[in-house]
């Protein structure tokens, strides 16, 4: 990174940290957390969905926005839609879009639409926990503006609302803004060729 | 480690690897996996419970055995018992025991009882996925024998049954035996004193 770019980056990170510190100062015993699950290992989304299960169990209204390509039906989606439609709102940002078309404009529109829904859910006083599943992918490709997302989380998120953002390659700005960051690391994954993704484990 | 102990350890690990390789040779496209979630970060148990959600969504009968101290009611437990009793069997190895008493004999009895239930569930041809939540803690304190557990997983687990074992400090023998190991690493956890564990996120 050139020196001036380095300096700009450092200044930006310092500002995010200062905003986070100011937010923290207003908190006492409880606060809504900004959680990030990243890394190349398994469990980023599934632990997000595990938290959704906990919210449902505790009667905390919650919402999921999935920033995924295509329309592949997943187990979580099926279960939440079929069994927990009253307790958990479920949205797919790419729904109706075919991200596989390599049409960057459509991808951006899908991600932006997901982020619009995400903001509405986070601002909704009914909702206590919002899972932004795989949003890091949309951020990585700059389909969403990282500064806008971080600014919203630090300054507009209601104090008691938890937001969990998942996906590999979390941006440094997001890590700086977060309260809790977990990296899932793959220690061992020796599937030999020919072993498929397993239903229940990976889908 | 003294040299002869080192050599014994290496020989033991070699045998586990050989047994695993033999097991893998019999598999083609699908197989039941031995999954391990370890590390000091968040998400080990919640991603296990996320997988349970996927199993329920796919109509795969499943079971959970929790190797935990005490009787603290958790969100997952409440939800699985209240809403999914038909789809997921739920057991707590320490139930009825007070691990807090520091009575090592009782702790061992509780862990052994949990392992007995775990084996029954894994062997049950109805059951497709078994979550052994926090079993690594019982293994770490030698309340359960690691050789016995690994031997059972490699030689008696039905070929198509998935088993997920969670908890920090997974033993090397278990990592060697596993198909997929994920380490959850805490990148950032800057709660200041006075911020409590948050319902829905950590309970």
């Amino acid at each position: 990174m050139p020196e001036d770019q380095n300096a700009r980056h450092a200044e930006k990170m310092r500002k995010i940290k200062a905003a986070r510190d100011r937010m923290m100062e207003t908190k006492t015993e409880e606060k809504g957390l900004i959680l990030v699950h990243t890394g190349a290992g398994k469990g980023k989304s599934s632990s997000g969905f595990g938290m959704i299960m906990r919210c449902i169990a505790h009667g905390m209204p919650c919402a999921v926005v999935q920033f995924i390509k295509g329309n592949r039906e997943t187990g979580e989606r099926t279960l939440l839609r079929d069994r927990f439609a009253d307790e958990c709102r479920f949205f797919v940002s790419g729904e109706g879009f075919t991200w596989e078309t390599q049409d960057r404009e459509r991808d951006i529109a899908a991600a932006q639409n997901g982020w619009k829904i995400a903001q509405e859910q986070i601002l909704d006083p009914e909702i206590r926990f919002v899972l932004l599943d795989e949003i890091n992918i949309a951020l990585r490709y700059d389909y969403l503006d990282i500064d806008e997302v971080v600014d919203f989380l630090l300054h507009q998120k209601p104090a008691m609302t938890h937001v969990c953002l998942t996906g590999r390659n979390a941006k440094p700005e997001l890590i700086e803004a977060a309260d809790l960051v977990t990296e899932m690391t793959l220690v061992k994954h020796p599937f030999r060729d020919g072993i498929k993704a397993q239903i229940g484990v990976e889908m």
Side-chain angles (χ1 to χ4, degrees), chain A residues 5-6 60 75 126 129 185:
Chain A
Q5 206 178 332
N6 252 333
M60 289 165 61
E126 291 277 303
F129 185 104
T185 313

Side-chain angles (χ1 to χ4, degrees), chain A residues 137-152:
Chain A
I137 293 171
L139 287 164
R140 182 186 185 191
Y141 291 114
D142 295 320
Y143 295 167
L144 300 178
D145 182 52
I146 183 66
D147 296 336
E148 185 190 332
V149 170
V150 163
D151 187 74
F152 180 86

Side-chain angles (χ1 to χ4, degrees), chain A residues 146-190:
Chain A
I146 183 66
D147 296 336
E148 185 190 332
V149 170
V150 163
D151 187 74
F152 180 86
L153 292 173
L154 290 175
H155 299 112
Q156 296 194 56
K157 180 182 78 62
M160 293 306 294
T161 303
H162 304 295
V163 180
C164 178
L165 305 95
T166 81
R168 57 175 72 191
N169 301 111
K171 291 223 171 183
E173 293 90 336
L174 182 61
I175 290 173
E176 188 63 44
D179 295 293
L180 196 152
V181 180
T182 308
E183 181 166 346
M184 278 67 173
T185 313
L186 192 64
V187 176
K188 189 179 179 187
H189 192 167

Side-chain angles (χ1 to χ4, degrees), chain A residues 12 14-15 24 39 42 47 55 57 62 67 71 74 91 103-104 108 111 114 118 139-140 148-149 158 171 186:
Chain A
K12 185 172 165 187
R14 196 195 60 71
K15 279 188 185 157
M24 291 295 284
K42 294 284 174 191
S47 65
C55 291
C62 51
F67 292 81
N71 251 324
T74 59
F91 307 90
D103 182 336
R104 189 176 151 87
I108 292 171
L139 287 164
R140 182 186 185 191
E148 185 190 332
V149 170
K171 291 223 171 183
L186 192 64

Side-chain angles (χ1 to χ4, degrees), chain A residues 1-12:
Chain A
M1 228 187 264
E3 206 170 305
D4 60 335
Q5 206 178 332
N6 252 333
R8 276 202 307 276
H9 180 78
E11 173 61 11
K12 185 172 165 187

Side-chain angles (χ1 to χ4, degrees), chain A residues 62-113:
Chain A
C62 51
V64 178
V65 185
Q66 272 195 321
F67 292 81
I68 56 163
K69 298 187 180 201
N71 251 324
R72 191 169 66 98
E73 197 62 25
T74 59
E76 300 89 350
R77 199 194 300 189
T78 309
L79 191 72
L80 290 173
R81 285 198 169 155
D82 292 357
R83 303 282 289 270
F84 295 115
D86 291 342
E87 289 112 321
C88 181
R89 302 177 190 166
F90 196 94
F91 307 90
V92 181
S93 77
E95 216 163 26
F97 291 88
T98 53
W99 295 46
E100 280 79 7
T101 56
Q102 312 251 350
D103 182 336
R104 189 176 151 87
E105 292 306 312
R106 285 195 106 176
D107 289 357
I108 292 171
Q112 293 282 347
N113 181 49

